[in-house]
Amino acid sequence: MKMRRWISLLTLAVVLAPLAEAEAAPAARTIYLMRHGAYDIDSTQRTPDGPALVALGIAQTRLTAARLRALPVAPKVIVTSSMTRARQTAGVLHETLTDVPLEVSDALRECTPRAAAGARIPLDAAQACERQLDAAFAHYFVPAPDVAETDVLVCHGNVIRYFVMKALGVDATHWLQMTLGHASLTVIRIYPDGSMQVMSVGDVGHLPPNMQSGSGDRDPQLVAP
């Protein structure tokens, strides 16, 4: 009888050991980088925070919100660029993800890194952009402290592409060799040891073809703010 009880306890220990290890193991942080929705690129109002979303951008964002709502792990936070089109996008997301805290960050504002600057903007402005984005990357792309976390960063085409290059550990000047649609999702996972894996880039599968925009080579947002 004692032997049978001992075997039962040993079996239970073998079954539970992997579960205990899984619970104790450090967890990954998953970041969903969302490009803002379609906006009024023809606006004649020039302000530091840029133009507002158009109706298409709002509709795109609602579909992205539904996709994020269906994630198996709810986002811990939504952090948005302080520019108008990003803040409005985050606001529409928050209508669906009502329980997720919303934060605003100047570090996620659109800018043009030196690789694309050329003669269009001063070199010091391009270098300032790189410093801004490098600091933002160092702040947000870190391992989760205890348990698995999912964050949503609402920002811009240049910003997201630059982050992808940083996550891949390649020359950041290659960011111009990809495009991102409006309301697209780029997913990057940060593991406990600090290593990163790019899970997807510019995914617009949640948008029907007639609602996809912003990924053409004529879209100025993909090149300059």
Side-chain angles (χ1 to χ4, degrees):
M1 193 71 175
K2 288 184 179 180
M3 178 63 69
R4 188 175 301 172
R5 184 180 303 170
W6 170 251
I7 293 174
S8 297
L9 291 174
L10 182 60
T11 302
L12 182 62
V14 170
V15 171
L16 293 180
L19 298 178
E21 289 179 4
E23 290 178 359
R29 180 190 304 279
T30 303
I31 297 180
Y32 283 76
L33 293 154
M34 178 185 175
R35 188 186 176 199
H36 56 76
Y39 67 104
D40 186 6
I41 61 174
D42 297 319
S43 174
T44 58
Q45 296 182 346
R46 301 297 178 185
T47 66
D49 289 338
L53 294 182
V54 295
L56 174 61
I58 295 172
Q60 291 169 332
T61 302
R62 286 176 176 157
L63 290 175
T64 307
R67 179 171 174 178
L68 292 172
R69 180 79 178 193
L71 292 176
V73 178
K76 182 178 180 181
V77 67
I78 298 172
V79 185
T80 177
S81 155
S82 55
M83 297 187 78
T84 301
R85 54 191 180 275
R87 285 190 292 104
Q88 290 180 334
T89 298
V92 175
L93 283 183
H94 202 247
E95 292 173 1
T96 298
L97 303 171
T98 55
D99 296 332
V100 182
L102 180 59
E103 301 176 3
V104 179
S105 171
D106 288 336
L108 298 177
R109 290 175 69 88
E110 179 71 306
C111 60
T112 304
R114 184 171 50 211
R120 288 175 296 169
I121 64 173
L123 180 61
D124 58 349
Q127 292 173 332
C129 173
E130 289 187 7
R131 290 193 296 271
Q132 168 198 318
L133 298 184
D134 287 345
F137 187 85
H139 179 74
Y140 291 110
F141 289 76
V142 296
D146 299 307
V147 297
E149 291 184 5
T150 298
D151 301 333
V152 177
L153 305 186
V154 181
C155 41
H156 309 268
N158 294 357
V159 176
I160 296 171
R161 292 183 292 168
Y162 189 84
F163 286 165
V164 169
M165 295 298 100
K166 294 278 288 184
L168 290 173
V170 300
D171 186 347
T173 62
H174 292 312
W175 68 272
L176 279 170
Q177 294 177 247
M178 69 177 75
T179 61
L180 298 171
H182 293 132
S184 63
L185 291 173
T186 295
V187 185
I188 299 175
R189 183 161 293 158
I190 301 95
Y191 293 99
D193 63 359
S195 62
M196 302 185 192
Q197 185 174 27
V198 177
M199 313 296 289
S200 65
V201 177
D203 186 358
V204 289
H206 50 286
L207 304 178
N210 65 336
M211 291 181 65
Q212 295 176 13
S213 66
S215 60
D217 57 5
R218 294 183 180 179
D219 180 6
Q221 172 59 22
L222 291 175
V223 175

